[in-house]
Short mmCIF file of all heavy atoms in Angstrom, two decimals:
data_model
loop_
_atom_site.label_atom_id
_atom_site.label_comp_id
_atom_site.label_asym_id
_atom_site.label_seq_id
_atom_site.Cartn_x
_atom_site.Cartn_y
_atom_site.Cartn_z
N ARG A 431 -8.16 -97.18 -55.33
CA ARG A 431 -8.41 -98.43 -56.04
C ARG A 431 -9.55 -98.30 -57.03
O ARG A 431 -9.43 -98.60 -58.21
CB ARG A 431 -8.68 -99.56 -55.09
CG ARG A 431 -7.43 -100.14 -54.45
CD ARG A 431 -7.80 -101.16 -53.39
NE ARG A 431 -6.66 -101.50 -52.53
CZ ARG A 431 -5.84 -102.53 -52.78
NH1 ARG A 431 -6.03 -103.28 -53.86
NH2 ARG A 431 -4.85 -102.76 -51.97
N ALA A 432 -10.68 -97.83 -56.48
CA ALA A 432 -11.88 -97.70 -57.35
C ALA A 432 -11.67 -96.71 -58.45
O ALA A 432 -12.01 -96.93 -59.62
CB ALA A 432 -13.08 -97.33 -56.50
N MET A 433 -11.09 -95.56 -58.09
CA MET A 433 -10.90 -94.50 -59.09
C MET A 433 -9.96 -94.97 -60.19
O MET A 433 -10.21 -94.76 -61.38
CB MET A 433 -10.30 -93.25 -58.43
CG MET A 433 -11.23 -92.51 -57.51
SD MET A 433 -12.52 -91.65 -58.35
CE MET A 433 -11.71 -90.12 -58.83
N ALA A 434 -8.86 -95.63 -59.75
CA ALA A 434 -7.87 -96.06 -60.74
C ALA A 434 -8.52 -97.01 -61.74
O ALA A 434 -8.23 -96.98 -62.95
CB ALA A 434 -6.67 -96.72 -60.06
N LYS A 435 -9.41 -97.87 -61.26
CA LYS A 435 -10.06 -98.81 -62.15
C LYS A 435 -10.81 -98.08 -63.25
O LYS A 435 -10.65 -98.32 -64.43
CB LYS A 435 -11.01 -99.71 -61.32
CG LYS A 435 -11.28 -101.05 -62.00
CD LYS A 435 -12.28 -101.84 -61.19
CE LYS A 435 -11.63 -102.72 -60.14
NZ LYS A 435 -12.67 -103.37 -59.32
N GLU A 436 -11.63 -97.07 -62.81
CA GLU A 436 -12.39 -96.28 -63.77
C GLU A 436 -11.48 -95.53 -64.72
O GLU A 436 -11.71 -95.46 -65.92
CB GLU A 436 -13.26 -95.25 -63.01
CG GLU A 436 -14.38 -95.86 -62.20
CD GLU A 436 -15.53 -96.31 -63.09
OE1 GLU A 436 -15.57 -95.87 -64.25
OE2 GLU A 436 -16.39 -97.07 -62.63
N LEU A 437 -10.44 -94.92 -64.15
CA LEU A 437 -9.56 -94.10 -64.95
C LEU A 437 -8.79 -94.93 -65.97
O LEU A 437 -8.56 -94.47 -67.10
CB LEU A 437 -8.62 -93.30 -64.07
CG LEU A 437 -9.30 -92.23 -63.22
CD1 LEU A 437 -8.39 -91.67 -62.15
CD2 LEU A 437 -9.77 -91.08 -64.12
N LEU A 438 -8.46 -96.16 -65.58
CA LEU A 438 -7.74 -97.02 -66.54
C LEU A 438 -8.68 -97.37 -67.69
O LEU A 438 -8.23 -97.43 -68.86
CB LEU A 438 -7.25 -98.26 -65.85
CG LEU A 438 -5.90 -98.11 -65.12
CD1 LEU A 438 -5.61 -99.32 -64.28
CD2 LEU A 438 -4.78 -97.81 -66.09
N ILE A 439 -9.93 -97.62 -67.39
CA ILE A 439 -10.88 -97.91 -68.47
C ILE A 439 -10.94 -96.75 -69.43
O ILE A 439 -10.93 -96.87 -70.64
CB ILE A 439 -12.29 -98.22 -67.88
CG1 ILE A 439 -12.22 -99.54 -67.07
CG2 ILE A 439 -13.32 -98.32 -68.99
CD1 ILE A 439 -13.50 -99.80 -66.31
N PHE A 440 -10.99 -95.55 -68.82
CA PHE A 440 -11.02 -94.33 -69.64
C PHE A 440 -9.77 -94.23 -70.49
O PHE A 440 -9.84 -93.98 -71.69
CB PHE A 440 -11.18 -93.12 -68.75
CG PHE A 440 -10.99 -91.81 -69.46
CD1 PHE A 440 -12.04 -91.32 -70.25
CD2 PHE A 440 -9.81 -91.11 -69.40
CE1 PHE A 440 -11.86 -90.14 -70.94
CE2 PHE A 440 -9.65 -89.91 -70.08
CZ PHE A 440 -10.67 -89.44 -70.85
N LEU A 441 -8.64 -94.48 -69.83
CA LEU A 441 -7.35 -94.31 -70.49
C LEU A 441 -7.24 -95.22 -71.74
O LEU A 441 -6.75 -94.81 -72.77
CB LEU A 441 -6.23 -94.61 -69.51
CG LEU A 441 -4.80 -94.46 -69.99
CD1 LEU A 441 -4.54 -93.04 -70.41
CD2 LEU A 441 -3.85 -94.85 -68.88
N GLU A 442 -7.74 -96.40 -71.56
CA GLU A 442 -7.66 -97.38 -72.65
C GLU A 442 -8.38 -96.87 -73.90
O GLU A 442 -7.89 -97.00 -75.02
CB GLU A 442 -8.31 -98.68 -72.18
CG GLU A 442 -7.64 -99.91 -72.69
CD GLU A 442 -8.17 -101.10 -71.93
OE1 GLU A 442 -8.14 -101.06 -70.67
OE2 GLU A 442 -8.63 -102.04 -72.58
N LYS A 443 -9.56 -96.26 -73.67
CA LYS A 443 -10.37 -95.86 -74.83
C LYS A 443 -10.13 -94.41 -75.23
O LYS A 443 -10.69 -93.91 -76.22
CB LYS A 443 -11.85 -96.05 -74.51
CG LYS A 443 -12.22 -97.49 -74.28
CD LYS A 443 -13.70 -97.60 -73.98
CE LYS A 443 -14.04 -98.98 -73.47
NZ LYS A 443 -15.09 -98.94 -72.48
N ALA A 444 -9.34 -93.71 -74.44
CA ALA A 444 -9.22 -92.26 -74.67
C ALA A 444 -8.59 -91.90 -75.98
O ALA A 444 -7.85 -92.70 -76.56
CB ALA A 444 -8.41 -91.64 -73.53
N ASP A 445 -8.88 -90.64 -76.41
CA ASP A 445 -8.21 -90.14 -77.62
C ASP A 445 -6.73 -89.92 -77.28
O ASP A 445 -6.38 -89.69 -76.14
CB ASP A 445 -8.81 -88.78 -77.99
CG ASP A 445 -10.29 -88.88 -78.24
OD1 ASP A 445 -10.72 -89.97 -78.57
OD2 ASP A 445 -11.00 -87.87 -78.08
N PRO A 446 -5.90 -90.01 -78.32
CA PRO A 446 -4.46 -89.83 -78.13
C PRO A 446 -4.14 -88.58 -77.32
O PRO A 446 -3.23 -88.60 -76.47
CB PRO A 446 -3.92 -89.72 -79.53
CG PRO A 446 -4.89 -90.47 -80.37
CD PRO A 446 -6.23 -90.33 -79.74
N GLU A 447 -4.87 -87.51 -77.56
CA GLU A 447 -4.51 -86.26 -76.87
C GLU A 447 -4.66 -86.39 -75.36
O GLU A 447 -3.95 -85.71 -74.60
CB GLU A 447 -5.36 -85.07 -77.40
CG GLU A 447 -6.84 -85.40 -77.33
CD GLU A 447 -7.70 -84.22 -77.69
OE1 GLU A 447 -7.41 -83.08 -77.27
OE2 GLU A 447 -8.70 -84.43 -78.42
N PHE A 448 -5.54 -87.26 -74.92
CA PHE A 448 -5.73 -87.43 -73.49
C PHE A 448 -4.67 -88.36 -72.90
O PHE A 448 -4.32 -88.27 -71.75
CB PHE A 448 -7.08 -88.06 -73.20
CG PHE A 448 -8.20 -87.07 -73.25
CD1 PHE A 448 -9.15 -87.17 -74.23
CD2 PHE A 448 -8.29 -86.04 -72.32
CE1 PHE A 448 -10.20 -86.27 -74.27
CE2 PHE A 448 -9.30 -85.13 -72.38
CZ PHE A 448 -10.27 -85.26 -73.35
N LYS A 449 -4.21 -89.31 -73.72
CA LYS A 449 -3.41 -90.40 -73.15
C LYS A 449 -2.18 -89.92 -72.46
O LYS A 449 -1.87 -90.40 -71.36
CB LYS A 449 -3.08 -91.41 -74.27
CG LYS A 449 -4.29 -92.21 -74.66
CD LYS A 449 -3.93 -93.48 -75.40
CE LYS A 449 -5.16 -94.36 -75.53
NZ LYS A 449 -4.94 -95.60 -76.21
N ALA A 450 -1.46 -88.98 -73.09
CA ALA A 450 -0.20 -88.54 -72.50
C ALA A 450 -0.46 -87.94 -71.13
O ALA A 450 0.13 -88.33 -70.13
CB ALA A 450 0.45 -87.54 -73.42
N GLN A 451 -1.35 -86.97 -71.10
CA GLN A 451 -1.60 -86.23 -69.87
C GLN A 451 -2.18 -87.16 -68.80
O GLN A 451 -1.74 -87.17 -67.65
CB GLN A 451 -2.61 -85.12 -70.19
CG GLN A 451 -2.85 -84.21 -69.03
CD GLN A 451 -4.24 -83.61 -69.10
OE1 GLN A 451 -4.97 -83.81 -70.05
NE2 GLN A 451 -4.64 -82.92 -68.05
N CYS A 452 -3.12 -87.97 -69.24
CA CYS A 452 -3.80 -88.83 -68.30
C CYS A 452 -2.87 -89.86 -67.69
O CYS A 452 -2.91 -90.15 -66.49
CB CYS A 452 -4.97 -89.50 -69.05
SG CYS A 452 -6.00 -90.46 -68.03
N SER A 453 -1.97 -90.42 -68.52
CA SER A 453 -1.10 -91.44 -67.98
C SER A 453 -0.11 -90.84 -67.00
O SER A 453 0.17 -91.43 -65.95
CB SER A 453 -0.37 -92.17 -69.11
OG SER A 453 0.29 -91.25 -69.94
#
Side-chain angles (χ1 to χ4, degrees):
Chain A
R431 280 174 194 269
M433 290 288 277
K435 204 184 270 174
E436 291 284 344
L437 290 168
L438 277 172
I439 294 173
F440 171 78
L441 182 60
E442 216 167 308
K443 296 182 191 144
D445 301 336
E447 53 175 318
F448 281 114
K449 286 198 170 181
Q451 185 209 352
C452 186
S453 53

